[in-house]
Every structure is written in C-alpha cells, then in structure tokens.
C-alpha cells in the first residue's frame, strides 16, 4: 500500500505537497469515489486512481534488448533525420533511452530502458561490464596482433585493459574473431583494430555481461525477463 500523494508523485502528476493540495481540492477519485482526506492509502496493483477524470499510474520500468541494425544511431533523436534506435521500439512505450551506445555502423545487442539507475550502473567505467563483439577485419590476424589485444593497446586516450580473443576464421584477406572488452570507450574496438593496421569490415555486439543477442533478427527486440533485470542490478552493485 502506498500513500495517495506519493502514488500521484510517482505517476508524475505533481510533487507530493502539490498532490496533497490536489487531493484537498476534491479532484482525485480512487475506484470511482472522491477522496479528500489525507493519509489515504492505495494498492498500486489493484486500485484505480483518477485525477480530473484521467487514470494515472506510476511509470512502469521497461527493459528492451534490441538487435540494433547497422544504419541507425544510438540516440533518441537526430537533427539530421537519420533513423534512431527508438524507431524499433513500440510507440506505446514510455520514454526510454539506450544504455550506452553502438556506432551507426555497428549492429547488435543494445539495452534500452527508462531505468536511469540501472543505466548508470551499467555504463559506469568502474563496473567493467563485459562486452563481446563479433569482429571482422581486413587482413590476417597475426599472433602478434592477438597478443596486443590481450595485453593492451595504446590509444590516444590511454592504454586499453587486456581483452579476451577467440579466433573464428583467419585468412590473409580477412579474419573473424570474438573480442571481449571490459571498457566502453568511444569506438574502442574500431580504434584498437586500426592501431594494429586493420580496417573493420563489420562489428556486431553479441554479448553484454551474461546477456546474449541470441536469435533476434536485426531490428527485433525482446523484453528482459524479471530475473535478468535483477541479475543486472546485482552486477552493478557487486563491485
Ligand atoms: N567499439 C566500436 O568501435 N564501436 C562500437 O559501436 C562498439 C564498440
């Protein structure tokens, strides 16, 4: 049970104090009956609360796992009119934001949510959340390259933390490997590859912490399961 004015504040009606005034003005109905007294409590799960005849409810937290396609940007709007990741989220969704970003040319796993606290936890550098990228580069991945990835590569904003690498395909013309990094610097994988003299052909994030992209097609999303949300929250607070 929650105090009515608190429920109203959580629903974005007004501050708690202002909500008390709105209640006193007789503008609030609970299950069809006007409530004017203070101290009234509502059950957020079952009670219907109306303010000036409009049903209100606290903002639900939503968590989407999107397979971001190549060719859209990871912000909520673009002055240049390009597609954004929000174009793939239902219009009926509460206002949401991407957790971190993927480049325009990068595809793969992107979390999108209105849970600012979780976003902060997951994007804070101190939490070192693993991110795994399917990386396709021009040229041969040499053993020297492998060692550099795993030991650290000097970039203009400092040396990268050791990464993990799993080879998938190597030829003189191109190489494909999984690269797991623990940081989230801007264009980090592309810059690491560039530093070793390799152009990136394609880059796809297939893992974030324990989450996997799985079978989702480009442009498709799924909702995170409650236990996945809880596990993510623990990840952030464990360190
Ligand atoms: N590293 C990159 O270079 N680009 C991304 O989008 C993500 C990681």
């Amino acid at each position: 049970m929650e105090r009515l004015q608190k429920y109203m504040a959580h629903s974005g009606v007004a501050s708690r104090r202002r909500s008390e005034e709105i209640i006193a003005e007789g503008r609030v109905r609970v299950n069809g009956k006007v409530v004017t007294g203070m101290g009234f409590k509502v059950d957020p799960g079952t009670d219907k609360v109306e303010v000036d005849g409009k049903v209100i409810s606290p903002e639900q937290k939503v968590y989407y796992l999107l397979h971001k396609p190549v060719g859209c940007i990871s912000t909520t709007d673009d002055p240049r009119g390009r597609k954004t990741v929000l174009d793939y989220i239902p219009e009926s969704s509460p206002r949401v934001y991407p957790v971190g970003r993927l480049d325009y040319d990068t595809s793969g796993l992107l979390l999108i949510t209105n849970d600012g606290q979780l976003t902060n936890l997951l994007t804070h550098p101190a939490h070192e959340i693993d991110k795994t990228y399917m990386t396709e580069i021009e040229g041969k991945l040499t053993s020297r390259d492998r060692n550099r990835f795993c030991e650290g590569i000097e970039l203009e904003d400092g040396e990268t933390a050791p990464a993990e690498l799993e080879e998938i395909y190597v030829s003189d013309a191109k190489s494909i490997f999984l690269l797991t990094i623990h940081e989230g610097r801007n264009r980090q994988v592309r810059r690491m590859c560039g530093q070793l003299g390799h152009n990136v052909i394609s880059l796809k994030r297939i893992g974030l912490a324990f989450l996997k992209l799985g079978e989702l097609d480009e442009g498709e999303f799924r909702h995170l399961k409650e236990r996945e949300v809880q596990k993510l929250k623990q990840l952030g607070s464990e360190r």
Side-chain angles (χ1 to χ4, degrees):
M1 299 291 277
E2 193 173 31
R3 276 177 181 270
L4 182 54
Q5 63 268 41
K6 194 169 167 195
Y7 183 91
M8 288 167 66
H10 283 164
S11 304
V13 173
S15 67
R16 277 189 217 181
R17 178 167 302 180
R18 178 71 195 120
S19 295
E20 287 176 0
E21 292 169 4
I22 294 172
I23 296 169
E25 287 160 13
R27 294 163 55 191
V28 183
R29 283 173 191 268
V30 178
N31 300 326
K33 291 211 180 80
V34 174
V35 172
T36 51
M38 288 305 127
F40 195 91
K41 289 196 171 160
V42 291
D43 180 342
T46 55
D47 287 334
K48 179 175 154 200
V49 181
E50 293 164 81
V51 177
D52 297 333
K54 232 175 88 189
V55 177
I56 60 161
S57 77
E59 195 184 299
Q60 294 291 321
K61 295 282 182 256
V62 288
Y63 304 89
Y64 302 101
L65 188 163
L66 173 71
H67 184 164
K68 175 199 175 294
V70 164
C72 72
I73 57 167
S74 305
T75 53
T76 50
D77 67 333
D78 180 39
R80 287 162 59 188
R82 290 173 297 181
K83 257 186 181 311
T84 78
V85 288
L86 294 194
D87 289 328
Y88 299 93
I89 298 299
E91 267 181 28
S92 57
S93 168
R95 188 149 181 72
V96 284
Y97 304 87
V99 178
R101 59 191 294 276
L102 290 175
D103 298 335
Y104 186 79
D105 292 332
T106 301
S107 62
L109 192 166
L110 186 67
L111 292 183
I112 298 184
T113 181
N114 55 355
D115 185 338
Q117 224 172 349
L118 184 67
T119 300
N120 290 341
L121 281 177
L122 294 178
T123 52
H124 196 291
H127 295 141
E128 299 178 352
I129 305 291
D130 288 357
K131 298 157 197 94
T132 301
Y133 295 88
M134 175 78 75
T135 312
E136 184 181 11
I137 57 169
E138 287 176 2
K140 182 174 182 168
L141 179 81
T142 63
S143 56
R144 184 163 177 274
D145 292 337
R146 269 197 299 274
N147 292 340
R148 299 273 308 275
F149 276 117
C150 300
E151 282 162 9
I153 296 175
E154 194 60 52
L155 300 177
E156 63 265 38
D157 50 357
E159 190 173 351
T160 60
E164 283 109 56
L165 189 148
E166 189 187 324
E167 256 177 44
I168 293 181
Y169 171 85
V170 175
S171 74
D172 285 342
K174 74 169 187 182
S175 308
I176 303 175
F177 53 93
L178 294 180
L179 188 70
T180 300
I181 60 171
H182 315 286
E183 308 159 283
R185 302 195 217 165
N186 197 17
R187 298 181 73 79
Q188 180 167 342
V189 176
R190 291 176 196 278
R191 289 193 290 136
M192 289 167 88
C193 295
Q195 195 63 14
L196 303 181
H198 297 287
N199 273 332
V200 169
I201 302 170
S202 70
L203 192 60
K204 179 183 197 173
R205 181 152 74 190
I206 60 159
L208 177 81
F210 58 87
L211 294 170
K212 303 269 176 275
L213 184 59
E215 299 296 302
L216 281 180
D217 280 336
E218 282 203 11
E220 278 185 354
F221 71 85
R222 70 171 177 87
H223 292 276
L224 287 190
K225 300 186 174 73
E226 181 53 32
R227 66 182 150 75
E228 292 175 321
V229 173
Q230 293 313 324
K231 213 166 152 190
L232 283 176
K233 288 182 179 170
Q234 277 164 21
L235 273 187
S237 55
E238 261 165 17
R239 315 214 178 191

